[in-house]
Amino acid sequence: MHVHILGICGTFMGGLALLARAEGHKVTGSDSNVYPPMSTQLEEQGIELIQGFDPSQLGESEDDAPDIVVIGNAMSRGNTCVEAVLNRGIRYTSGPQFLAEHILKDRWVLAVSGTHGKTSTSSMLAWILEDCGYEPGFLIGGVPQNFGVSARTGNSPFFVVEADEYDSAFFDKRSKFVHYQPRTLVINNLEFDHADIFDDLKAIQRQFNHVIRTVPGEGKVIWPKESQAVTEVIKMGCWSEQELYSSLADTSQAGWSTKLIADDGHQFELFFDGESQGILDWQLIGQHNVENATMAIAAARHVGVKPQAAIEALVKFQPPKRRMELIGTVNGIEVYDDFAHHPTAIATTLQGTRAKVGEGKITIILEPRSNTMKSGVHKDTLAGSMALANEAYLYQADNIDWDLASAMKKAELPVKVLYEIDEIVETVAEKAERGDTIVVMSNGGFGGLHQKLLKKLNAKQ
């Protein structure tokens, strides 16, 4: 079957292309920006990439048209290829629906959902299964460093998928994860996000209720006991087995709990139903990663992995790229790349970083790039989320609808708002000293700031 993908260079759609190719399909695709590393990864698998959306890529006649066109959720009416697909009556579908019908069919799906930690938790879960000999398939919204790719079909019934609540396509406004029909469902946490498609938290909770409705009675839903938002979703109806995780220090209670041995979270003890399952001493830090690991271990246990074996696997776990990834150390100055783009994620990342560096200086460079950030939904909580840093530099891009400087007046730390990426690089590099920790936070490329900063720091030596 010839599968043509519109919007192929996104992480999800690119991963889907790799899976379709591995299943033996001819795969082609197009995007507005075809560039490495995704373009390289796809072309190495024999996938032809086309720059732009000229309708000629769909063939001149019915005979040379694709058998099916997978339309990414970034595509909308008015796109020339979309209009040609509709006008010519070419068969089309969404990415999540194609995944469900052609990849996930007859698989044991382990879906990892929630506002934060999906990529990290699904990467941990896939690695636990791999290290324990399960050879799972997976589709993850990042690149797990233990695997080096974002997707693969695997050699077993088990398939780990990062289950995103964003909508499926312009013609299917259900959340992606509603298509996946998981047997094991992890809900990490739940907050308001994606203000461009959801009006309020209740709208998101409704989608989570929909995915819970698809979990079999013999399946399992794993969720955080202290989350009021998730508790409300469960009260809307849950017909499956449940396991709860508590972030409180009471390790005698039923379900999963943890006790920190190191304040920064790099060492903690795991408990289930009041009994110790072992101690994890690993390279990750932060309470959020303690919680992510616990969820991954719980999900792996559902398919037969003993918690102690999962703990041993996570000792060897390497975090996905762009999740507090150390991208360079120059003259004693550490520079990290982090995907955080929500106040809660920023705060939890800084909590772990502060516990690690103690009194050391932490500098944040933040690009408020997500649609929710750009709309100003989080402008009243952003300043408080950065409180554990020593200083912050914010990038005021042209497409941000609110004044960053005004919102930062209540900040408890020095905050500088700048309009040019090069000026941020110059200022931060000039002030940086041995022992400093610089964390660059963005869910995009940030105009190449990361490498520009490392180059400037090197030139300073």
Side-chain angles (χ1 to χ4, degrees), residues 395-406:
Y395 176 48
Q396 177 88 51
D398 293 338
N399 59 359
I400 295 177
D401 298 334
W402 49 288
D403 182 44
L404 291 174
S406 297

Side-chain angles (χ1 to χ4, degrees), residues 29-312:
S30 61
D31 214 319
S32 53
N33 291 298
V34 175
Y35 52 83
M38 182 58 78
S39 61
T40 305
Q41 190 178 171
L42 295 173
E43 286 171 341
E44 286 174 348
Q45 298 303 315
I47 297 171
E48 180 190 350
L49 301 181
I50 301 160
Q51 176 79 38
F53 298 106
D54 190 305
S56 63
Q57 65 192 259
L58 300 172
E60 299 300 328
S61 66
E62 186 176 334
D63 291 338
D64 57 1
D67 296 296
I68 188 168
V69 175
V70 182
I71 300 178
N73 70 350
M75 303 294 104
S76 58
R77 289 300 305 266
N79 175 283
T80 51
C81 264
V82 168
E83 295 303 315
V85 167
L86 297 175
N87 287 333
R88 291 174 55 184
I90 299 173
R91 182 180 165 214
Y92 66 92
T93 188
S94 70
Q97 187 167 347
F98 183 91
L99 179 68
E101 293 177 351
H102 297 276
I103 309 295
L104 301 183
K105 186 174 169 49
D106 301 323
R107 305 289 289 265
W108 180 315
V109 177
L110 300 97
V112 178
S113 66
T115 308
H116 314 293
K118 292 186 294 293
T119 300
S120 294
T121 306
S122 51
S123 298
M124 291 176 196
L125 177 53
W127 172 245
I128 290 169
L129 297 182
E130 175 74 5
D131 194 59
C132 293
Y134 282 65
E135 300 184 82
F138 57 81
L139 176 56
I140 296 171
V143 181
Q145 294 193 68
N146 291 93
F147 296 101
V149 293
S150 60
R152 77 172 192 192
T153 54
N155 293 305
S156 75
F158 304 106
F159 196 99
V160 177
V161 61
E162 178 175 333
D164 188 3
E165 70 270 26
Y166 212 77
D167 61 3
S168 298
F170 75 85
F171 51 86
D172 182 359
K173 291 303 176 183
R174 292 174 295 172
S175 290
K176 291 177 185 173
F177 57 35
V178 173
H179 292 275
Y180 300 155
Q181 299 181 18
R183 181 164 287 270
T184 306
L185 174 65
V186 171
I187 306 177
N188 269 345
N189 41 61
L190 184 53
E191 290 188 77
F192 181 61
D193 199 8
H194 304 309
D196 51 324
I197 62 168
F198 293 115
D199 292 333
D200 50 32
L201 179 60
K202 286 189 180 301
I204 304 175
Q205 287 175 309
R206 191 172 304 113
Q207 294 295 321
F208 274 82
N209 171 248
H210 290 167
V211 71
I212 285 174
R213 287 172 178 267
T214 69
V215 180
E218 295 178 351
K220 185 164 288 185
V221 179
I222 303 163
W223 59 281
K225 183 178 180 180
E226 279 77 46
S227 171
Q228 180 61 34
V230 178
T231 300
E232 290 171 0
V233 171
I234 297 295
K235 286 181 177 178
M236 294 167 72
C238 181
W239 299 264
S240 311
E241 298 174 14
Q242 299 177 43
E243 279 184 8
L244 278 66
Y245 166 69
S246 174
S247 58
L248 302 180
D250 181 7
T251 56
S252 64
Q253 60 190 321
W256 297 92
S257 56
T258 52
K259 182 172 72 175
L260 292 184
I261 296 172
D263 289 341
D264 66 359
H266 87 265
Q267 189 179 57
F268 66 93
E269 189 169 7
L270 178 68
F271 294 81
F272 181 67
D273 286 348
E275 292 189 11
S276 176
Q277 304 298 309
I279 293 173
L280 175 55
D281 190 338
W282 62 342
Q283 61 173 303
L284 276 68
I285 61 171
Q287 177 63 32
H288 59 301
N289 277 319
V290 172
E291 295 171 5
N292 293 341
T294 304
M295 292 300 207
I297 292 169
R301 179 178 174 271
H302 189 215
V303 302
V305 176
K306 291 185 176 13
Q308 185 57 51
I311 288 171
E312 291 171 5

